[in-house]
Amino acid sequence: MYENTADASRPWTLVSFPNAVVHVDCNAFFTSVEQALDPSLKGKPVITGKERGIVACASYEAKALGIKRPMRLWDARKICPQLVCLPSDYETYSLYSKRMFEILRRFTPAVEESSMDEGFANLTGMRRVHHKGYAEIAWDMKSAIQRELGLTVSLGLGVTKTLAKIISAEKKPDGFTVVRARELHTYLAGVAAGRVCGLGPNSVALLKKYGVHTALDYALRPEAWTKKLLGKTGVELWHELRGEWVYPLVTEEKHDYGSISKCKTFTPPSSDKNFVRAQLVRNIESAFIKMRRHKLRARGMAVFLREKDFSSEGVEALLDRSTSSTIEAARLGVQLFEKIFRPNTAYRLTGIALFKLESGQHSQYSLFDDVPRIESLKAVDKVIDEANRHYGKHSLRLGTGLWLAAHAQHLSERGDLPERKKQLLPGETARRRIGIPVWKIKV
């Protein structure tokens, strides 16, 4: 179908959609959800992240004023004194994300959840099911999200994943762009090389030295040239830009993690060693809960701290053996913490990263392992996970976490809870809520 040597003066193919891939990208997702929940916020500059003292997400109205993440709240308010600052409600954002992907799956079962607020859908072959063209199906997807969730999304319809992602960014916010395969030779001429996902700043700088400034310039070069310059990735992108599908959609739930990380920002920054250490241990607990959920074990651990001025320091080490035990790993985490914590320094964030992950399905012990202790730690973790499932995350936790509730600085921010956590429905508790958001709308 496609010629080996593309020509910029004529279509590379006469077929419109040899494949049909949609990329859906939510516009300023967190603030859009807040504006959907409370229509009185629409049209106003809104940001989330109040609980952390920095801008986590800015609405397009706020962005128009020059407010962007991760700007400090104090600086943002200087730009716009009328700025609406809200604490982040990740629980509700997650519910909206799930609803959005459920809507996409009504139109096709092949959906990839790239992140909470963006994903791909493969519509190839679905015209027979919906009795419509691909553009009409894509428009129906966008309309359903807006009608049912009150969210605007930017949607791009192309013939490969790389093209669909480029196309969805063409018009923001609330964009809808369709580029057919026979239009690629004219469309790519207006796409800067830096907009191609997969070409980083260094690759773009290298390409410019050879006179490649646009995606079309790149697609017109010989395949051997791209391989010599950028290797396998360069060749894959070359095919994708020419409309030849290389990257498949990953529709299965992700289980093969290369690493798992958890971090937590707290406000105001603190130099209290007990409090900062407790924040780190909470991160370790969260990371191991997630790791056990995916039946994994970790051999390596990295700990990092971020100071008030946003400078960071970290350290990493290997465990004696791969483990999924929070108690076993927390000891190493605290040792690493002691290496980098500096007294009289105000910290605003603690973080933990687990790496060298391996399957935890089958246990193999060495001659030097203390098997009874390992088995007892497994039993403890099982009880912790069971308690968390029944009574909410961290309902059963390490004693170090008691410092989180005792810290006066953190207590002063407790009033900044999201509305959903302050307005509990009958039967709900602070730790257990049903998966339903609360809208501020008149019926």
Side-chain angles (χ1 to χ4, degrees):
M1 183 189 314
Y2 294 89
E3 298 178 0
N4 287 329
T5 304
D7 188 340
S9 63
R10 60 189 178 91
W12 302 340
T13 176
L14 297 179
V15 180
S16 294
F17 290 106
N19 297 296
V21 184
V22 159
H23 180 249
V24 179
D25 188 0
C26 291
N27 307 133
F29 183 55
F30 295 169
T31 50
S32 294
V33 171
E34 296 289 354
Q35 289 172 323
L37 290 170
D38 184 357
S40 69
L41 298 177
K42 289 186 176 178
K44 296 180 181 178
V46 180
I47 65 104
T48 63
K50 184 181 180 183
E51 79 286 359
R52 297 192 297 168
I54 58 174
V55 176
C57 180
S59 67
Y60 276 86
E61 295 84 357
K63 288 180 180 177
L65 299 172
I67 297 170
K68 55 186 178 182
R69 63 187 295 267
M71 184 180 283
R72 289 184 300 181
L73 218 58
W74 188 76
D75 294 327
R77 279 178 170 144
K78 275 204 305 184
I79 295 174
C80 179
Q82 293 78 37
L83 186 67
V84 180
C85 303
L86 300 172
S88 302
D89 183 0
Y90 295 109
E91 187 178 316
T92 299
Y93 306 153
S94 177
L95 290 173
Y96 264 72
S97 175
K98 287 179 181 175
R99 290 286 303 277
M100 183 185 76
F101 286 111
E102 285 171 3
I103 290 173
L104 296 184
R105 288 193 175 90
R106 283 188 219 154
F107 295 88
T108 172
V111 173
E112 175 182 321
E113 299 182 21
S114 305
S115 66
M116 181 182 279
D117 62 346
E118 69 173 296
F120 294 91
N122 182 2
L123 299 182
T124 309
M126 298 305 292
R127 287 180 296 193
R128 182 176 298 178
V129 176
H130 296 285
H131 305 290
K132 293 179 180 177
Y134 291 127
E136 287 77 13
I137 298 171
W139 178 257
D140 286 349
M141 295 169 88
K142 176 178 166 60
S143 301
I145 294 171
Q146 186 160 5
R147 183 177 60 253
E148 297 179 29
L149 301 181
L151 300 179
T152 59
V153 298
S154 292
L155 188 146
L157 173 61
V159 293
T160 67
K161 283 180 71 176
T162 301
L163 288 168
K165 189 169 178 63
I166 294 172
I167 294 165
S168 70
E170 191 69 32
K171 297 173 186 173
K172 281 191 171 183
D174 200 16
F176 180 77
T177 310
V178 178
V179 178
R180 295 163 178 80
R182 55 184 161 80
E183 300 166 343
L184 284 177
H185 67 298
T186 55
Y187 174 73
L188 293 181
V191 177
R195 282 183 54 196
V196 179
C197 183
L199 294 180
N202 289 333
S203 297
V204 172
L206 176 63
L207 290 172
K208 282 183 179 177
K209 293 183 186 302
Y210 289 91
V212 175
H213 300 280
T214 68
L216 180 65
D217 294 337
Y218 189 75
L220 291 178
R221 293 298 177 106
E223 180 181 1
W225 182 86
T226 62
K227 184 177 183 180
K228 183 178 180 182
L229 202 68
L230 300 177
K232 181 185 174 189
T233 302
V235 174
E236 290 173 348
L237 288 175
W238 182 81
H239 282 286
E240 286 265 317
L241 290 174
R242 292 163 60 98
E244 301 162 13
W245 196 348
V246 176
Y247 298 130
L249 265 65
V250 181
T251 55
E252 296 82 17
E253 188 178 355
K254 190 175 180 181
H255 290 290
D256 54 338
Y257 290 89
S259 65
I260 290 177
S261 60
K262 292 285 181 182
C263 59
K264 178 73 174 177
T265 303
F266 38 89
T267 302
S270 174
S271 57
D272 185 326
K273 185 175 180 179
N274 290 325
F275 173 71
V276 179
R277 181 172 52 206
Q279 289 283 4
L280 177 70
V281 171
R282 177 58 57 87
N283 292 334
I284 294 174
E285 290 178 306
S286 297
F288 273 81
I289 288 171
K290 181 175 182 179
M291 196 172 64
R292 288 195 294 270
R293 190 165 67 242
H294 294 289
K295 297 181 173 54
L296 295 170
R297 296 182 298 194
R299 179 78 196 287
M301 174 188 290
V303 167
F304 53 95
L305 303 177
R306 183 169 298 163
E307 298 178 21
K308 184 180 179 181
D309 63 357
F310 291 95
S311 61
S312 301
E313 187 174 5
V315 62
E316 65 179 48
L318 294 179
L319 291 145
D320 294 334
R321 53 182 293 280
S322 60
T323 181
S324 61
S325 167
T326 305
I327 297 173
E328 198 171 2
R331 185 177 301 170
L332 175 63
V334 172
Q335 290 173 358
L336 297 176
F337 168 80
E338 295 290 346
K339 288 184 178 180
I340 56 176
F341 180 84
R342 286 182 281 124
N344 303 319
T345 301
Y347 292 97
R348 63 164 56 243
L349 175 144
T350 62
I352 169 80
L354 303 174
F355 55 93
K356 288 188 178 294
L357 303 185
E358 57 188 58
S359 172
Q361 297 276 21
H362 306 289
S363 299
Q364 287 186 337
Y365 303 120
S366 71
L367 289 173
F368 307 102
D369 284 337
D370 185 350
V371 178
R373 182 173 180 275
I374 294 171
E375 291 297 326
S376 65
L377 289 175
K378 279 186 179 179
V380 171
D381 287 329
K382 189 175 180 181
V383 172
I384 292 173
D385 293 341
E386 196 66 26
N388 289 340
R389 269 194 293 274
H390 278 85
Y391 303 107
K393 194 177 178 183
H394 298 302
S395 57
L396 193 57
R397 56 190 182 273
L398 298 178
T400 314
L402 294 174
W403 288 101
L404 297 176
H407 197 278
Q409 287 185 319
H410 197 75
L411 279 175
S412 68
E413 297 295 313
R414 287 289 175 87
D416 291 329
L417 289 174
E419 285 297 314
R420 182 65 183 90
K421 292 187 178 180
K422 289 191 285 187
Q423 297 181 2
L424 299 177
L425 299 173
E428 291 186 325
T429 67
R431 290 197 168 275
R432 287 182 65 84
R433 288 173 294 280
I434 57 176
I436 298 176
V438 175
W439 289 270
K440 288 185 177 179
I441 54 176
K442 293 180 180 178
V443 181

